[in-house]
Amino acid sequence: MQWETVIGLEIHAQLATKSKIFSGASTAYGAAPNTQACAIDLGLPGVLPVVNEQAIAMAVRFGLAIDASITPRSVFARKNYFYPDLPKGYQISQYEAPIVARGRITIDVDGQPRTINITRAHLEEDAGKSLHEDFHGASGIDLNRAGTPLLEIVSEPEMRSAAEAAAYMREIHRLVRYLGICDGNMQEGSFRCDANVSVRPQGTEAFGTRAEIKNLNSFRFIERAIEFEVERQIEIIENGGKVVQETRLYDPDKDETRPLRSKEDAHDYRYFPDPDLLPVAVSAAYVDVIRATMPELPRAKIARFVKTLELSHDDAAVLANDPDTAAYFERAIAAQPASAKQAANWITGELFAALNRDNLAIGASPIAPEQMGQLVQRIVDGTLSGKLGKQVFQTMWSSGRDADDIIEAEGMRQVSDTHLIEVAVREILEQNPDQIAQFRAGKDKVLGFLVGQVMKKTGGKANPALVNQLIKAALAN
Amino acid sequence: MSDSLPRSVARLADGLARGDYSSVELTRHYLARIAALDPQLNSFITVCGEQALAEAAAADACRAAGKAGRLTGIPYANKDIFCTRGVRTSCASRMLDNFIAPYDATAVEKLRAAGMVMLGKTNMDEFAMGSSNESSYYGPVANPWDVTRVPGGSSGGSAAAVAAGLAPMATGTDTGGSIRQPAAFCGISGIKPTYGRVSRYGMIAFASSLDQGGPMGHSAEDLALMLNVLAGFDPRDSTSIERADEDFTRALDAPVAGLRIGLPREYFDDQLDAGIRACVETAVRQLEARGAVVREISLPHVSLAIPAYYVIAPAECSSNLSRYDGARFGHRCANPADLNDLYCRSRGEGFGAEVKRRILIGTYALSSGYYDAYYRKAQQIRRLLRDDFTAAFKDVDVVVGPTTPTVAYRTGAHAKNPVTMYLGDIYTTAANLAGLPSLSIPAGFVDGLPVGMQFTAAHFDEARLLGLAHQYQRESDWHLRAPAAFN
Amino acid sequence: MAISKDEVSAMARLARLAIEPDDIPGYAEQLSGILAFVARMDEVDTRNVEPLAHPLDLTARLRPDVVTESDQRELFQSIAPEVERGLYLVPKVIE
C-alpha cells in the first residue's frame, strides 16, 4: 500500500511591535512576571481594547509579500474558552474576515521550487504563560505575554513530506524576518509552528483523520516529529485501527509524539464579532503606502545576487538567508560591486568564522561592512596579498581600525615593483643552485619552494603571482 | 437647610455660586438624609462619607480660589457599575463584593474633574441585568413612592436616591431601558445618550454594543448639565465617537412650534395601561397646543425589539462575564479541588439566578448550530429596526410614546416568570438596538404612581430631546413632585 | 423550541457555571420560555438583510505603537485572591 502524507502548517509569528495589540503595555521579552500586564491585559472589569496600528501595518506587509489580497474591512472576533493564561475567558482573534486572504509562497525542496498556497493570515492576541514549577500544588500564571500581537499564518494542506514542511517553515521564518515584522526567535517563542498531519492511500482524494502536533520550535524537530507521526498513523491503519483526531506534542528526547493530556473534547468557541471593536478599514491607499516601503524579498535578492553579481546560488543563499547578513554584504560591496565574489568569500569565510568563535551576531561585528569592503578591495586591487589579508583581518577585528590604516602603519603594501622583486629573485636563485638544477631536471614543485623563499625575503609582501612569473622568466634564461 | 434647598442641580449650582451654602454643607445634608432614610430604600451599596466631605472641602477651596466650574461642589451618586478607584465597585454582585477598583472609569474622572462630589455607589440589578432592582446581592431597592413596589432597573438605586432627595443627581447605565424605565417608575428624568457619546471605559460591561451611561436627575436642564460633563471622545474606548464637543443646554429654549412629533401606532395598542395612555396623550396635546406638529408613524418591526434584545444582550454578556473566574480579582470559592472547580464554583457562587439565566441563554445563542438562528438573526432584525427609525426621522424630529406599559409593580410580581418582566422593556429596547438617544421625563400619575413619557431622536440629536423636555417641564410640574414619605 | 435538561447542563459546562442538579429543571423551563418568546424573530423574513453589529457604521480607530503603560503590579495584585512571587496562583494546570 502506497501512502501519501498530507501536511498543513499553522504558524504563529509574534509581531515585533513595541506595545501590545490592544493595549499600551510593553512587549519586551524577559520582564519580571506580571510587570508588563496592564489592566487591559489582565481583563479587569470595565477595560476595553484599542487596536495597535503597527500590528495592522505588519499584517499588511506580510500579505503583500505573499501576493495575497488584503481584506478592506476585517473584523476581530472573540474565541471563547476558559484557561488560566486567557484572562478574559476569550481570545480576541479573527474568524470570518481575516486581514490577509489567500496568498502563496515558493519553497525549495531538493533544489526544486514548489508553490505552497496560504489559506489566510489573521491577527490575534497571545495568551499568558503558566509556569509549571510547582507552587505547592498550584500553577503560577504570568500574563506579561498576554496581548502580544500574533499573526497566525495558515497553509493549505499541500505539503507532502516532512522535508517540504520544514522547507515551508524555513521560508516563512526567513520572510517574516526580512519584513522586519518578527524576530523569529524560536527559543523565546516568537515563532511557533503547529503541524496538522494525516495520511491517505496514494491516489485517493478524501483526507484521512489528522492529528495536530503543537509547538514545534525548531526546523529539525518539525521534520522528525512529522516523520514519526506519519509512521505512527500508517502503522495504526495497517493494523486495522483508526487514527484519533487529537492534539499531540513532540518529545525531542524520546523522538516521538504523544497525546496532550487534559485537552477536552472539541471546543465550541462560539465565535462572534467583538462588540468592543469596530471593523478595521484598510484602504487601497494605505496598502500602497505599505507597498512602497517593502524591502527586496529573499528569493528576489538571491536571484539578483546570482544574475547581477554572478555569485553562486549557494553563496547567494547563504548571504541572503538572513536580512542582516544580506544588508552587511550589500553595504560592503556598495562602493565596489565588482568585488562581490571575493567579498562573498571573505564574509562567509573569515567573518563568519570570527563571529562564531566570539558568539556574535553580524550586527555586532567589530568590523563594519564598509571596512570589510575596503579590505576585500585591497586584495582585489593587489595592494595586499591574500595571506597578509588574513592578518590584517585579525587586526581589524581586535582593533576596529581600517584596513588602509593597518596596511600603511605596518608597511604591508604588497610589493609589485618588478625591479625590486627581480633583485630578490636573483638573490634567491644565487643561493639555491641545487633547486635550480632540480627544476631544470623537471621537478616543477621546486618552484613553489623558490617562490616561498622570495616571499620570505620580501617579508611576505611581494605579489606572489608576479614572483612566480619572474622566477620562471629568470629560470628560462 | 433642607426645606429651602432646591432639588435641581441647576438651582443648587446657582446657590453655591451665590454663597448661599457651601459644598460641605450640601454634602452633609445629603449624607444625613441617606443615613436617615436609605434604610427604607436600600438605594446605596456604599456610602463614601469621609471621601465625599474631603471632595466637598476641596470644591469649596477651589471656589474660593475663583476656579469653580458650573458643577463644582455638586454632590451626586454613582451607579455601582462605574469603576471608582479605591472604592468598592460591586455591580451589586457577590462576584465583586470584594472588588476595590484600581482605577477610575473615564466618566468618573470627568465628574471628578468637574469638581462634583461622590456621595456613594448606588444599588442596581446584578451586572445591570434586570428591570426591577430585585436581583441585587445586597437586596432589592424600594420605590420611594410606594416602598412595596419596585423602583425599576437596572439603575433602580440611582432612581430611588434621586426621587427621595438623597442625591440631586446620579449616574445610570442603559442597555435595554435601565435609565429610562427606573426614571419613569420613580418620577424623575433620565437620558440614554447616542451610543458612543459617553465613554464605556471603566463602565463594567453587560452588553457592549448596547450599554450607554447617562445622567438621572430632576429636570431636563439638569440632565443637560451633567451630560456636558459625561459626554466626549475617549481614546480608550474604541466605540467612543469622535465629534466636536457640544453644549447640550444650547437648545433648551428652542421653541416647540414647528417641531414634528411622531407617535408610533405600535406603541399605543391595548397592552398599554389606559391611565398611562391618558397621561401621554394629554402631554402630547399640550405640546401640540404650543405648535408641535403631531402625526402617527409606524415602526413596523418594533415588536421584535425585545426578542432581538434578549438574544443579543445575553450573548454579549455571556462572553463579557467570562473574565469573572476567581483567578485575578473578585470572588473565589474556598479550596478549589482543581481548575474546573475553581471556575465553576467561583462563578456559581458569585452570580445570582438572573445573571446565570442570561449567561446560559447567551451561551446557547452563540453555540455551534444556533448562531445563525439566534445571534445572527437578531443582528439582522437590529438593522431592520434601525432602518425603521431612519425612515421615521425623515418625517418627524422626535418620536414620543410611553416609557413603560405599566406603572411600578409590586416587589416579587414577576418572580415566577422572567419573561413577563422582560416584556416591560417593550418601549425602551429599540433605542438601544438602534443606538439612538432617548430620554424619559415624568408625565403624570396613575393611582399615585409616576408615569414616564419617552422622547427618542436621531443619532446625536440629544440637544433637541432635552430642549423639548425642558419646554414641557416649563409648563408642567410633574417633575417637581416628591414622594410624601421622603419629602 | 425547548431546551432540555441535558442542554442546560452542556451550556453550564461551556460557561463554567456550577448549577445545583435540583435547579436544572427550573432553568430548563425558564430558558425554554425565553426561547419560545425569542422565536418571534422568525416572524420576519431577513434573508437579504445584512446583520448590524454596531448601530453606527463606523470603522476602528487605530492607536500608535507606543508604550504608555508602566508597571502597576503591586496595585493590581493587591486585589488578587492568591499571588506568589508576582504570579497569579490557580489549581495546577495539567498539560
Side-chain angles (χ1 to χ4, degrees):
Chain A
M1 164 76 89
Q2 285 279 67
W3 292 99
E4 180 174 56
T5 303
V6 175
I7 303 161
L9 292 188
E10 278 169 23
I11 290 174
H12 289 88
Q14 239 177 37
L15 297 180
T17 55
K18 298 203 232 8
S19 64
K20 300 205 177 162
I21 187 172
F22 299 118
S23 83
S26 167
T27 55
Y29 185 81
N34 290 305
T35 54
Q36 284 176 186
C38 71
I40 294 162
D41 305 324
L42 292 173
L44 293 187
V47 298
L48 296 171
V50 183
V51 184
N52 183 335
E53 192 272 329
Q54 190 64 244
I56 303 294
M58 289 181 169
V60 170
R61 275 163 92 74
F62 182 80
L64 291 175
I66 62 166
D67 286 330
S69 55
I70 308 295
T71 306
R73 250 174 98 98
S74 76
V75 175
F76 282 104
R78 294 188 184 179
K79 179 179 182 182
N80 296 280
Y81 65 97
F82 285 86
Y83 208 64
D85 63 6
L86 195 69
K88 295 187 292 296
Y90 60 86
Q91 176 196 33
I92 302 179
S93 176
Q94 296 193 291
Y95 184 60
E96 281 181 341
I99 185 158
V100 172
R102 202 176 160 89
R104 62 178 184 274
I105 194 160
T106 307
I107 66 176
D108 289 310
V109 194
D110 296 330
Q112 292 305 313
R114 179 157 144 67
T115 299
I116 303 290
N117 288 300
I118 291 172
T119 316
R120 55 186 268 158
H122 70 253
L123 288 167
E124 58 186 29
E125 55 179 349
D126 207 348
K129 278 195 191 145
S130 306
L131 265 60
H132 294 300
E133 60 180 276
D134 206 322
F135 286 85
H136 40 86
S139 291
I141 310 294
D142 174 13
L143 295 170
N144 278 350
R145 199 180 66 175
T148 306
L150 294 177
L151 186 66
E152 178 174 329
I153 303 160
V154 182
S155 82
E156 289 287 321
E158 290 174 355
M159 283 155 273
R160 294 286 172 264
S161 72
E164 277 189 5
Y168 172 86
M169 188 180 169
R170 275 182 213 277
E171 194 71 41
I172 300 281
H173 186 260
R174 183 170 67 182
L175 184 60
V176 298
R177 280 161 52 243
Y178 254 79
L179 294 170
I181 65 176
C182 175
D183 68 12
N185 188 328
M186 290 185 270
Q187 275 63 52
E188 288 180 1
S190 328
F191 190 85
R192 318 200 282 256
C193 189
D194 300 339
N196 288 304
V197 183
S198 67
V199 297
R200 65 185 174 194
Q202 193 84 298
T204 56
E205 294 229 346
F207 287 115
T209 309
R210 61 182 157 96
E212 183 188 18
I213 312 174
K214 285 198 87 64
N215 286 343
L216 294 154
N217 65 359
S218 94
F219 303 121
R220 211 175 76 250
F221 288 173
I222 192 180
E223 268 197 78
R224 283 303 312 135
I226 292 175
E227 280 164 2
F228 174 88
E229 182 59 22
V230 166
E231 276 174 40
R232 184 188 77 89
Q233 291 191 11
I234 291 174
E235 201 183 311
I236 289 176
I237 301 174
E238 284 182 343
N239 285 336
K242 280 205 163 92
V243 173
V244 172
Q245 180 171 333
E246 62 186 350
T247 305
R248 300 175 72 86
L249 278 182
Y250 176 68
D251 181 340
D253 299 323
K254 296 206 181 123
D255 188 29
E256 63 181 25
T257 66
R258 53 163 204 282
L260 204 51
R261 271 187 299 153
S262 97
K263 277 288 173 174
E264 303 165 22
D265 36 351
H267 288 283
D268 181 354
Y269 292 121
R270 309 184 295 291
Y271 284 100
F272 72 105
D274 192 323
D276 288 329
L277 291 169
L278 300 169
V280 176
V282 179
S283 67
Y286 181 84
V287 174
D288 287 340
V289 168
I290 303 281
R291 188 179 283 119
T293 68
M294 293 283 284
E296 182 181 38
L297 296 183
R299 299 185 75 82
K301 196 181 284 290
I302 291 173
R304 180 171 62 83
F305 282 1
V306 168
K307 183 159 175 221
T308 315
L309 300 177
E310 294 179 9
L311 295 190
S312 72
H313 186 274
D314 284 349
D315 277 351
V318 170
L319 289 170
N321 188 53
D322 174 76
D324 295 333
T325 307
Y328 188 99
F329 171 69
E330 287 179 284
R331 277 171 66 187
I333 64 167
Q336 53 277 325
S339 61
K341 279 207 241 201
Q342 289 86 340
N345 289 340
W346 274 87
I347 289 172
T348 61
E350 290 296 314
L351 183 65
F352 275 13
L355 289 168
N356 282 339
R357 187 194 65 223
D358 289 1
N359 203 25
L360 294 170
I362 200 166
S365 160
I367 300 177
E370 294 78 9
Q371 291 177 311
M372 194 74 214
Q374 189 187 71
L375 172 64
V376 170
Q377 187 55 23
R378 290 294 161 261
I379 294 163
V380 165
D381 68 20
T383 307
L384 198 58
S385 71
K387 191 155 153 215
L388 284 184
K390 292 195 185 183
Q391 238 179 278
V392 172
F393 175 91
Q394 292 306 330
T395 310
M396 287 170 76
W397 184 269
S398 49
S399 71
R401 286 159 60 200
D402 283 350
D404 278 351
D405 226 37
I406 298 166
I407 291 171
E408 278 313 311
E410 315 274 330
M412 288 168 135
R413 277 189 163 279
Q414 184 165 252
V415 175
S416 293
D417 183 329
T418 312
H419 178 73
L420 275 171
I421 296 179
E422 275 177 346
V423 166
V425 163
R426 263 206 297 278
E427 271 191 52
I428 294 297
L429 288 182
E430 269 165 31
Q431 288 166 13
N432 292 279
D434 294 336
Q435 282 75 4
I436 296 173
Q438 285 175 23
F439 178 76
R440 291 226 169 97
K443 267 204 175 150
D444 290 334
K445 280 205 279 191
V446 144
L447 189 61
F449 168 76
L450 293 170
V451 169
Q453 289 300 298
V454 173
M455 292 300 291
K456 234 165 65 173
K457 183 114 198 124
T458 59
K461 285 183 278 189
N463 184 328
L466 198 47
V467 169
N468 219 295
Q469 192 188 318
L470 292 173
I471 292 181
K472 278 200 198 145
L475 291 173
N477 292 339
Chain B
M1 174 183 227
S2 42
D3 292 346
S4 55
L5 206 58
R7 292 198 322 154
S8 94
V9 161
R11 304 289 80 75
L12 285 171
D14 293 342
L16 280 170
R18 280 193 304 265
D20 294 352
Y21 31 75
S22 66
S23 178
V24 167
E25 286 175 303
L26 268 189
T27 303
R28 277 202 220 283
H29 165 79
Y30 289 108
L31 289 173
R33 280 184 71 80
I34 292 168
L37 300 166
D38 200 46
Q40 297 174 56
L41 298 172
N42 197 29
S43 67
F44 278 85
I45 292 175
T46 303
V47 179
C48 303
E50 258 183 57
Q51 185 179 309
L53 289 168
E55 288 175 11
D60 287 332
C62 179
R63 187 173 299 279
K67 298 204 177 106
R70 186 81 201 268
L71 300 181
T72 300
I74 297 285
Y76 79 102
N78 236 333
K79 183 175 182 180
D80 207 10
I81 197 172
F82 288 95
C83 285
T84 44
R85 189 178 174 137
V87 175
R88 172 174 58 184
T89 301
S90 75
C91 280
S93 179
R94 183 177 179 198
M95 182 59 83
L96 293 180
D97 178 48
N98 68 359
F99 179 65
I100 308 291
Y103 72 100
D104 274 336
T106 299
V108 173
E109 279 181 355
K110 284 167 165 290
L111 292 163
R112 224 190 262 292
M116 294 183 77
V117 174
M118 185 173 80
L119 294 165
K121 309 298 291 295
T122 56
N123 206 344
M124 51 185 277
D125 274 303
E126 188 182 359
F127 279 104
M129 298 180 206
S131 310
S132 63
N133 218 135
E134 293 176 287
S135 67
S136 165
Y137 175 61
Y138 303 99
V141 175
N143 188 322
W145 295 88
D146 177 341
V147 299
T148 68
R149 293 175 187 266
V150 303
S154 61
S155 312
S158 287
V162 171
L166 305 189
M169 285 217 69
T171 56
T173 63
D174 191 311
T175 306
S178 294
I179 284 178
R180 293 162 286 156
Q181 182 252 29
F185 279 10
C186 289
I188 65 166
S189 307
I191 183 168
K192 178 201 85 67
T194 307
Y195 182 81
R197 205 43 118 167
V198 173
S199 169
R200 291 188 302 113
Y201 190 81
M203 194 178 99
I204 295 175
F206 157 25
S208 317
S209 74
L210 302 166
D211 295 341
Q212 258 300 277
M216 303 174 75
H218 288 295
S219 68
E221 185 181 16
D222 285 0
L223 298 183
L225 287 172
M226 204 185 204
L227 193 58
N228 276 351
V229 176
L230 288 172
F233 170 64
D234 182 6
R236 290 179 292 186
D237 175 357
S238 290
T239 58
S240 171
I241 23 179
E242 229 171 321
R243 275 170 84 86
D245 282 346
E246 48 184 287
D247 177 4
F248 294 100
T249 66
R250 71 182 186 277
L252 288 178
D253 291 322
V256 174
L259 196 74
R260 302 167 303 162
I261 289 177
L263 303 178
R265 74 167 74 98
E266 293 84 4
Y267 283 1
F268 293 86
D269 65 2
D270 46 17
Q271 294 290 335
L272 177 57
D273 173 278
I276 293 180
R277 187 189 198 124
C279 289
V280 175
E281 285 177 343
T282 304
V284 169
R285 277 199 296 278
Q286 274 180 270
L287 292 170
E288 208 171 11
R290 292 175 57 186
V293 177
V294 179
R295 64 196 284 168
E296 190 187 70
I297 59 166
S298 175
L299 299 170
H301 301 98
V302 87
S303 65
L304 299 173
I306 320 187
Y309 173 81
Y310 278 100
V311 169
I312 295 172
E316 292 183 6
C317 99
S318 71
S319 179
N320 283 332
L321 268 59
S322 293
R323 67 191 62 198
Y324 303 104
D325 59 8
R328 299 167 312 290
F329 54 83
H331 178 74
R332 182 178 179 116
C333 64
N335 307 314
D338 55 33
L339 196 59
N340 201 53
D341 192 38
L342 171 73
Y343 292 152
C344 293
R345 256 197 311 132
S346 298
R347 291 162 62 77
E349 291 169 6
F351 293 138
E354 183 61 32
V355 170
K356 284 194 182 113
R357 256 195 294 280
R358 301 212 191 184
I359 290 176
L360 290 170
I361 271 286
T363 306
Y364 186 84
L366 291 174
S367 66
S368 165
Y370 294 121
Y371 178 87
D372 283 351
Y374 291 105
Y375 191 74
R376 192 163 189 279
K377 180 85 185 183
Q379 299 281 48
Q380 289 171 313
I381 286 174
R382 189 173 187 168
R383 184 175 292 277
L384 293 177
L385 280 165
R386 192 194 65 170
D387 292 349
D388 280 359
F389 277 98
T390 306
F393 287 124
K394 289 198 172 70
D395 301 325
V396 302
D397 301 311
V398 180
V399 170
V400 173
T403 307
T404 57
T406 69
V407 290
Y409 41 85
R410 294 212 191 271
T411 309
H414 295 307
K416 292 238 165 48
N417 188 351
V419 173
T420 57
M421 186 173 67
Y422 297 166
L423 290 170
D425 297 336
I426 191 167
Y427 304 124
T428 47
T429 49
N432 300 86
L433 289 163
L436 301 168
S438 184
L439 60 71
S440 177
I441 53 170
F445 287 83
V446 168
D447 300 330
L449 294 166
V451 169
M453 166 169 67
Q454 179 176 255
F455 296 166
T456 305
H459 295 124
F460 310 121
D461 217 2
E462 286 89 337
R464 197 200 298 270
L465 285 180
L466 292 163
L468 183 63
H470 179 68
Q471 288 304 311
Y472 176 75
Q473 287 178 339
R474 286 188 61 191
E475 304 207 348
S476 60
D477 68 351
W478 307 119
H479 64 294
L480 300 175
R481 310 278 185 91
F486 294 88
N487 216 341
Chain C
M1 180 79 211
I3 287 193
S4 69
K5 296 199 283 274
D6 283 345
E7 282 177 307
V8 172
S9 299
M11 293 303 119
R13 239 190 336 270
L14 267 183
R16 298 298 187 274
L17 281 180
I19 297 188
E20 292 297 315
D22 288 346
D23 292 339
I24 299 218
Y27 277 110
E29 199 187 311
Q30 287 161 350
L31 297 180
S32 296
I34 295 172
L35 283 185
F37 162 69
V38 153
R40 294 198 54 197
M41 292 197 300
D42 295 334
E43 285 170 15
V44 68
D45 180 353
T46 53
R47 258 172 310 177
N48 296 321
V49 181
E50 195 56 35
L52 185 69
H54 280 103
L56 298 153
D57 274 317
L58 298 171
T59 54
R61 186 182 2 90
L62 306 176
R63 49 162 252 277
D65 184 25
V66 175
V67 174
T68 54
E69 301 285 345
S70 57
D71 173 13
Q72 289 187 279
R73 184 173 82 180
E74 215 183 297
L75 172 64
F76 294 144
Q77 292 193 341
S78 69
I79 57 169
E82 253 198 83
V83 164
E84 198 172 303
R85 288 189 261 144
L87 296 158
Y88 291 98
L89 293 193
V90 295
K92 190 128 184 76
V93 172
I94 307 164
E95 280 271 299

